[in-house]
Amino acid sequence: MRNERMKKGEERLREVDGHAGENVIASLSGIAPDVGKYIIEFAFGDVYCRDGLSLQEREMITITSLLTAGGCEPQLEVHINGSLNVGISPDKIIETFIQCIPYTGFPKVLNAVGVAKKIFKDRNITL
């Protein structure tokens, strides 16, 4: 029987990341299923379901954190899509990245913009 955290997490994961999130969890099933469980229960069941921030604010923080960390392009791809899914405009995503330039530098921002460019093309989004 699935616990309440798992149910809430699965619902929120679908709401934010859709098939991309489900694909991440599925990719872990044969090698690290507990990591998938932690993503669902903790990240999406606990953190993403908290009061205090909207889903848009949570996704903006997430894409900023991933950009800042660097080397997280696959996760950034999932969360740029998630940002679009929860109603953040493409212009706002790019503006969020621009805001990071003074703090993280051009290389990380250029990497994030490159990921966004691919996603926007795949989703037929023009700026």
Side-chain angles (χ1 to χ4, degrees), residues 24-25 27-29 31-43:
V24 169
I25 302 305
S27 75
L28 296 167
S29 67
I31 184 126
D34 285 342
V35 175
K37 179 181 173 193
Y38 301 149
I39 291 169
I40 293 170
E41 287 183 343
F42 175 67

Side-chain angles (χ1 to χ4, degrees), residues 75-125:
Q75 294 79 20
L76 192 55
E77 183 173 344
V78 170
H79 285 283
I80 292 171
N81 274 300
S83 296
L84 294 166
N85 293 344
V86 299
I88 299 175
S89 72
D91 289 328
K92 191 172 254 188
I93 290 169
I94 298 301
E95 193 61 37
T96 300
F97 294 162
I98 291 169
Q99 179 64 31
C100 294
I101 293 170
Y103 307 101
T104 62
F106 282 99
K108 289 180 180 178
V109 171
L110 290 170
N111 290 344
V113 169
V115 174
K117 182 178 179 180
K118 176 191 175 298
I119 291 165
F120 297 168
K121 181 180 179 196
D122 291 347
R123 291 177 71 149
N124 296 314
I125 296 171

Side-chain angles (χ1 to χ4, degrees), residues 16-89:
V16 174
D17 292 331
H19 293 298
E22 293 169 0
N23 291 341
V24 169
I25 302 305
S27 75
L28 296 167
S29 67
I31 184 126
D34 285 342
V35 175
K37 179 181 173 193
Y38 301 149
I39 291 169
I40 293 170
E41 287 183 343
F42 175 67
F44 285 90
D46 293 341
V47 177
Y48 265 77
C49 286
R50 290 179 53 84
D51 293 331
L53 295 173
S54 69
L55 284 179
Q56 289 184 351
E57 291 166 326
R58 290 183 189 285
E59 280 301 296
M60 285 182 72
I61 292 165
T62 301
I63 63 174
T64 301
S65 297
L66 292 168
L67 177 157
T68 302
C72 300
E73 286 74 17
Q75 294 79 20
L76 192 55
E77 183 173 344
V78 170
H79 285 283
I80 292 171
N81 274 300
S83 296
L84 294 166
N85 293 344
V86 299
I88 299 175
S89 72

